[in-house]
Amino acid sequence: MAKVHVTTSINGEPMEFLCEPSDTMLDALRGPLALTGSKEGCASGDCGACSITLDDRLVCSCLMLAVESEGHEIRTIEGLAQGERLHPLQQKFLEMAALQCGICTSGMLVASDALLKKNPDPSEEEVRFWLAGNLCRCTGYDKIVRAVMETAAEMRAH
Amino acid sequence: MNLVTNNKWIGQRTIRPDGMDKVTGRAQFAADTTMPGMIWGKVLRSPHPHARIRSIDTSKAEKLPGVKAVVTSKDIVDFPIEKGAVMLGIQDMRWMCRNVMARDKALFPGHPIAAVAATTEAIAEEACKLIEVDYEVLPWSIEIDDALKLDAPILHEFNKFDGKPSNIVGRLEHKKGDIERGFEQADIVIERTFTTRPVHQGYIEPHACLISVAPDGKTTIWSSSQGQFMVRAMTAYLTGIPQSDIRAIPAEIGGGFGGKTIVYLEPLATLLAKKSGRPVKMVMTREEVMRATGPTSGSKSTVKIGATKDGKIVAAHGTFYLQAGAFPGSPIRGAAGCSFTPYDIPNLLSEGYDVCSNRSKVAAYRAPGAPIGAYAVECVLDEVAEALKIDPLDFRLKNAAKEGTKAAHGPVFPRIGYIETVEAAKASPHYAAPLGDGNGKLRGRGVASGFWFNAGGESSAQVNITEDGNVVVTTGHPDIGGSRAGIANICAELLGIDYRRVSVIIGDTQTVGFSNLTGGSRVLFASAMVVTQSTEKIIQTLRERAAKIWEIDPEAVKWENGAAHPASPNAGQFEPLTLEELAEKAPAMGGPIGAGVQLNTQGADGGFGTHVCDVEVDVDLGIARVIRYTAVQDVGRAIHPGYVEGQLQGGVAQGIGWALNEEYIYTKEGKVDNPGFLDYRMPVCSDLPMIDCIMVEIPNPKHPQGVKGVGEVPLVPVMAAVANAIYNALGKRFYALPMSPPKVLEKLEGPMQQAAE
């Protein structure tokens, strides 16, 4: 089958790519777009390691077809920092050791950023339920939850 | 002991050297790597739990356009059974060559039968379907009881136990005193039988590799593993390529927990790359990971403990049957050797049995075997303490192993920190806190302890001073949970410079000396030793260089705060020479400054932990939730407290999953029925509370910084702590894991059904 031409925006940049009609957005990101920050842990939407946002809505890129990005705004982990300046969540994850192996980290950060945009003052329970779609097998989530809450507090103060 | 005091960096929560790459998505994990001309490999796997392979016809697959190579077991080096064991670490290559690809028999659903490389993943998958395999389907068994039946299908006919063909492929025992006489002295004896289900390590990153083989045989492997040297050696053994021709480059590793201490894909991808002349990439699906890698053993254990009225344990007997899966090698040493170790028991017999059955070969999982043993022992201890009306922590204190205690597995303990962990648990705010009102749900509290051996072993490091006076440390152990941060802290501390001036990289097999696996809680213990010795050599060189410049004796120069200083006023008056200044002068003063050290590190101390767990059980839904958890552990010395706590918290989370939900479920056909993250239910963020850590620091006297391994102990006590807490909540005891909602409801005799009626 012929490949499909897709025009979209990724991390604020206009982007074009070719994909199979059956390719997932994760396939496109990791393949022709060479953005490998989004990871494939399960390909079934259960681990959240491939989390991205589509028009500011948090999605698992493994559950979305690449062609569905046509005309929409995609954001990935590669777009979280502004040049040399880390996003406050990235900085806090580093300071508070909120990562161990690091494979879930991209998805955790994208999901946490989406949460704080929606709710700048989440309770611990809200953080835990929001991040329930992002599996982490190393940290026990403790430091991740603390980092998200502390970032939220700092961002509210500024 | 040469402990560094007044530390600037050791014990600080510094930012890990590889952190920036990981929070920005730049870090290169194995599946992130590509190469020009790369093609894709896929594996055809057995649909049967047990089947003789009569023939394999790959001709149709080979003719499919886009297919570049097909390999079967004929292409893999054979290690004949009758020629005896060929050991590589703890792995016998006779089993490894049959595990990476079935030889005469398929032994579990998912067992590789053939592998194909093609220009796209889809074509490779299609080609796998065109391979014709003639199977003679055989009877099979999954569960221990079935595998031990007199008429059980025997997986390996060559194996004999008690003179007869058997699925028992190994036995070990640890013995001390005389258990019969010991039990005679007991006022109370409790004996229980426990079962646990196989559970997967559950790393989020599936196995992956990219391999290039040049026409002259020079091979480059990028892969995710807990040891690039293990990858090199196993691939060499299984493909016949000399180790010197294989460069194994460690990608960042997305979790392992023991499950990435053996190879699955690398030998197959190497052979496909060799045959096709193209670089080959292979990535497992989650389903392949669940069906054909890991997990750890399911088990059946019987534990009998006898104690006197005054609370002294006088005898204990443990029998631990562990599932090995398709090939010998279940962690009976961890189960039989660790479970009674926290206690000073005069009469003890601890036996382990290694049992083969038709499921994937087990792989190491965090303190392999020890959590299984501790679950049984620590639950029986709880019952004995209750029967004697003694607080469970007091009961442990009364029987605690300490300096001078002879452990059943051999050693006489040096100064250990077990008692301190129990005392800290007892003194914790958690243990003193009231359980509180469950708002209709039942609450309970449980405790448990655990031990893991910890390991030393081979490690290499190279430390080089850059021309601008900074530092590059190269070690040979994949960084699975922040070890680079600990190494940077130590090197910076010794040199007296800012830790940000130390870059820590993981070398590949051809650029750093042999380093054994990241496993056994050994990495920071071992790498700290070689990094310390390398850095000390460098400091010696720096002092000599300064002495030469000042024209004084090197002994009259001391190294402090990142600079050479005269050791005393008698040495003369000189301005300090900093690391940067000495690096700048290096070309004129003897050349580059660097030092490497290779050691078989010794002196690892075992690790002890004691946990306190609160649960809340919804008796209508059967759901048990952990609502508060405190993990106490003797960590020796926390070089980077953040990552030490992370190890404790992560281990506890895995244990809670094992206790409450995780299990391999099989279909009637002997296939894993829950091979994905939806149905294999690992804890998610909303399942867990914060996990409090209390780090007891009893420094290891045989280590320059006092380090003890910390990674594995935290999983050992968890299932027992949760089970004891659920007992405390319900007054009913579980003898089988997981304590999932259907099982809890069953135990409660179906109050929901009754309510519905």
Side-chain angles (χ1 to χ4, degrees):
Chain A
M1 199 183 284
K3 290 203 173 190
V4 184
H5 178 259
V6 179
T7 305
T8 182
S9 155
I10 297 182
N11 298 324
E13 302 284 339
M15 205 68 79
E16 293 174 63
F17 64 91
L18 293 177
C19 67
E20 299 289 339
S22 60
D23 280 352
T24 65
M25 191 66 220
L26 181 59
D27 294 332
L29 288 171
R30 296 181 54 83
L33 294 164
L35 293 167
T36 55
S38 305
K39 307 299 178 189
E40 179 166 317
C42 67
S44 57
D46 295 310
C47 77
C50 67
S51 298
I52 59 167
T53 58
L54 171 73
D55 298 337
D56 290 332
R57 197 161 61 89
L58 183 64
V59 293
C60 285
S61 58
C62 73
L63 292 185
M64 172 193 159
L65 290 173
V67 294
E68 290 179 283
S69 69
E70 174 75 38
H72 293 281
E73 295 266 342
I74 298 286
R75 287 201 177 264
T76 71
I77 183 65
E78 286 89 351
L80 198 57
Q82 297 298 316
E84 283 189 328
R85 231 181 66 235
L86 289 183
H87 186 282
L89 276 165
Q90 292 172 309
Q91 185 62 35
K92 200 55 77 183
F93 268 53
L94 289 178
E95 286 168 8
M96 295 181 69
L99 65 151
Q100 272 153 236
C101 81
I103 196 83
C104 74
T105 308
S106 304
M108 282 287 179
L109 285 165
V110 170
S112 304
D113 179 44
L115 168 64
L116 297 190
K117 279 191 179 127
K118 237 177 127 74
N119 180 0
D121 188 12
S123 67
E124 182 193 330
E125 197 179 9
E126 284 169 327
V127 173
R128 286 190 180 273
F129 276 92
W130 183 269
L131 294 181
N134 291 76
L135 281 173
C136 168
R137 192 61 158 172
C138 293
T139 62
Y141 305 105
D142 185 304
K143 288 184 167 31
I144 293 172
V145 174
R146 287 179 203 274
V148 173
M149 307 229 2
E150 197 151 310
T151 308
E154 279 182 17
M155 286 173 75
R156 286 195 307 275
H158 287 120
Chain B
M1 190 173 11
N2 178 26
L3 276 182
V4 182
T5 47
N6 302 321
N7 294 310
K8 188 155 185 212
W9 301 117
I10 289 176
Q12 294 301 309
R13 295 169 192 258
T14 53
I15 289 177
R16 60 194 282 170
D18 56 321
M20 194 62 83
D21 275 354
K22 285 179 177 161
V23 299
T24 55
R26 280 180 180 81
Q28 289 275 300
F29 293 83
D32 301 338
T33 315
T34 52
M35 257 193 111
M38 185 185 93
I39 58 175
W40 291 83
K42 289 305 278 184
V43 176
L44 171 71
R45 296 175 183 277
S46 167
H48 306 294
H50 199 185
R52 200 168 302 285
I53 300 168
R54 291 203 192 100
S55 66
I56 303 175
D57 182 355
T58 60
S59 55
K60 280 185 194 153
E62 279 159 25
K63 286 187 200 115
L64 186 71
V67 170
K68 299 295 173 194
V70 180
V71 298
T72 65
S73 63
K74 286 198 294 258
D75 300 288
I76 291 168
V77 176
D78 187 13
F79 292 85
I81 307 284
E82 59 279 8
K83 287 202 174 160
V86 180
M87 299 308 289
L88 198 98
I90 60 163
Q91 301 296 344
D92 186 336
M93 297 314 289
R94 294 179 303 169
W95 317 142
M96 290 306 298
C97 79
R98 286 164 175 75
N99 193 49
V100 296
M101 202 158 270
R103 206 152 269 278
D104 48 345
K105 288 205 293 185
L107 293 165
F108 61 94
H111 202 163
I113 304 294
V116 178
T119 47
T120 70
E121 223 175 343
I123 295 173
E125 269 168 33
E126 200 50 43
C128 283
K129 293 181 198 152
L130 297 175
I131 295 172
E132 289 165 4
V133 188
D134 182 12
Y135 292 107
E136 177 195 347
V137 177
L138 301 170
W140 47 270
S141 55
I142 305 277
E143 305 302 336
I144 289 171
D145 285 345
D146 295 333
L148 294 181
K149 280 181 185 156
L150 283 175
D151 59 347
I154 302 297
L155 272 72
H156 305 292
E157 288 86 356
F158 63 86
N159 177 67
K160 304 267 193 304
F161 190 78
D162 279 346
K164 286 189 291 265
S166 171
N167 288 323
I168 296 180
V169 289
R171 179 183 183 275
L172 68 74
E173 67 169 39
H174 296 299
K175 210 172 169 178
K176 200 178 149 187
D178 176 342
I179 55 164
E180 277 170 35
R181 278 185 51 194
F183 280 117
E184 279 166 20
Q185 295 159 27
D187 296 310
I188 176 165
V189 175
I190 291 180
E191 180 176 357
R192 301 287 182 229
T193 295
F194 299 83
T195 59
T196 68
R197 304 293 299 159
V199 289
H200 199 272
Q201 294 80 352
Y203 31 81
I204 309 299
E205 180 204 33
H207 300 257
C209 65
L210 169 62
I211 298 178
S212 158
V213 183
D216 63 356
K218 293 279 190 287
T219 300
T220 310
I221 302 177
W222 291 265
S223 79
S224 169
S225 80
Q226 288 174 247
Q228 61 274 39
F229 290 89
M230 173 280 296
V231 167
R232 179 177 76 175
M234 285 199 186
T235 306
Y237 272 82
L238 297 174
T239 61
I241 298 171
Q243 288 192 36
S244 53
D245 278 356
I246 302 176
R247 181 178 181 196
I249 301 175
E252 293 302 326
I253 171 171
F257 314 106
K260 290 178 183 165
T261 56
I262 60 175
V263 293
Y264 298 99
L265 299 176
E266 289 89 338
L268 310 183
T270 300
L271 291 167
L272 289 169
K274 199 173 165 203
K275 270 196 170 178
S276 65
R278 302 271 291 266
V280 172
K281 180 164 173 170
M282 293 181 88
V283 182
M284 279 195 198
T285 62
R286 177 55 48 182
E287 185 174 334
E288 287 180 294
V289 171
M290 294 302 285
R291 290 199 193 287
T293 71
T296 191
S297 305
S299 68
K300 183 173 181 174
S301 314
T302 301
V303 165
K304 182 177 171 185
I305 292 176
T308 55
K309 277 193 290 256
D310 61 348
K312 191 81 194 107
I313 301 173
V314 284
H317 182 199
T319 312
F320 306 97
Y321 286 90
L322 267 61
Q323 287 174 315
F327 298 100
S330 71
I332 48 178
R333 185 173 158 264
C338 290
S339 45
F340 293 106
T341 305
Y343 309 105
D344 184 3
I345 303 174
N347 305 294
L348 179 71
L349 176 61
S350 189
E351 306 169 78
Y353 292 88
D354 190 14
V355 183
C356 276
S357 63
N358 297 104
R359 33 176 302 246
S360 56
K361 172 181 159 49
V362 298
Y365 180 23
R366 216 164 186 157
I372 292 170
Y375 163 57
V377 168
E378 297 289 316
C379 285
V380 177
L381 279 179
D382 206 53
E383 283 199 61
V384 176
E386 192 196 20
L388 294 171
K389 298 189 172 58
I390 302 176
D391 172 273
L393 290 180
D394 287 335
F395 185 55
R396 284 169 174 79
L397 282 176
K398 231 180 165 77
N399 293 286
K402 49 187 173 293
E403 187 169 359
T405 301
K406 185 170 166 36
H409 66 278
V412 174
F413 283 127
R415 170 88 169 88
I416 54 172
Y418 175 53
I419 287 176
E420 285 82 350
T421 69
V422 185
E423 284 172 343
K426 223 184 143 191
S428 69
H430 182 169
Y431 204 61
L435 265 169
D437 178 21
N439 198 14
K441 293 170 190 155
L442 299 179
R443 287 187 172 183
R445 177 169 296 156
V447 301
S449 295
F451 166 81
W452 174 249
F453 305 113
N454 290 337
E458 300 102 323
S459 195
S460 302
Q462 175 70 33
V463 179
N464 290 326
I465 306 301
T466 58
E467 296 97 295
D468 60 357
N470 292 307
V471 187
V472 180
V473 181
T474 308
T475 72
H477 308 290
D479 176 358
I480 203 164
S483 54
R484 275 179 280 220
I487 292 164
N489 281 3
I490 289 169
C491 188
E493 189 74 52
L494 295 170
L495 281 170
I497 59 173
D498 190 288
Y499 79 96
R500 280 161 288 228
R501 288 173 59 190
V502 182
S503 164
V504 184
I505 64 163
I506 315 300
D508 67 61
T509 53
Q510 315 314 69
T511 58
V512 64
F514 179 80
S515 302
N516 216 323
L517 291 163
T518 291
S521 297
R522 60 178 294 271
V523 167
L524 199 61
F525 172 84
S527 55
M529 278 190 171
V530 286
V531 169
T532 297
Q533 291 193 14
S534 305
T535 309
E536 282 169 350
K537 282 188 185 181
I538 282 177
I539 291 172
Q540 179 61 25
T541 305
L542 293 166
R543 288 169 56 213
E544 284 164 8
R545 299 272 170 103
K548 218 187 233 178
I549 292 166
W550 292 334
E551 297 178 332
I552 61 174
D553 192 85
E555 296 310 307
V557 180
K558 65 177 176 183
W559 188 263
E560 229 174 53
N561 293 325
H565 301 261
S568 69
N570 300 341
Q573 290 288 324
F574 303 103
E575 282 301 301
L577 276 165
T578 64
L579 182 59
E580 294 95 311
E581 287 163 334
L582 288 165
E584 196 189 306
K585 294 180 200 301
M589 300 302 300
I593 305 167
V597 166
Q598 297 83 34
L599 283 180
N600 189 358
T601 64
Q602 304 294 319
D605 263 2
F608 293 89
T610 299
H611 293 188
V612 185
C613 169
D614 291 358
V615 296
E616 188 171 89
V617 187
D618 182 326
V619 292
D620 295 321
L621 299 175
I623 296 170
R625 279 183 65 86
V626 173
I627 53 171
R628 185 171 184 179
Y629 205 100
T630 301
V632 188
Q633 189 170 319
D634 171 20
V635 301
R637 192 70 176 279
I639 303 299
H640 189 299
Y643 290 107
V644 174
E645 287 165 357
Q647 291 295 325
L648 269 58
Q649 292 163 335
V652 168
Q654 286 185 315
I656 292 172
W658 193 343
L660 295 179
N661 278 302
E662 292 180 37
E663 64 175 317
Y664 268 50
I665 297 168
Y666 291 90
T667 63
K668 288 199 300 291
E669 293 77 33
K671 258 182 124 164
V672 178
D673 203 19
N674 57 340
F677 281 147
L678 183 62
D679 298 317
Y680 181 86
R681 183 69 171 72
M682 296 182 346
V684 302
C685 198
S686 54
D687 291 329
L688 297 176
M690 294 294 188
I691 296 160
D692 295 327
C693 301
I694 300 175
M695 295 181 283
V696 173
E697 295 187 88
I698 313 285
N700 176 354
K702 297 189 226 64
H703 190 275
Q705 287 85 27
V707 169
K708 286 176 186 166
V710 298
E712 284 160 297
V713 175
L715 178 56
V716 182
V718 187
M719 283 83 74
V722 176
N724 290 339
I726 291 181
Y727 168 74
N728 186 243
L730 300 179
K732 289 177 192 285
R733 196 168 278 282
F734 285 80
Y735 297 101
L737 296 182
M739 296 169 285
S740 55
K743 308 228 177 91
V744 171
L745 282 182
E746 203 180 317
K747 197 87 175 173
L748 294 169
E749 294 164 345
M752 242 172 71
Q753 287 95 316
Q754 283 167 19
E757 285 158 16

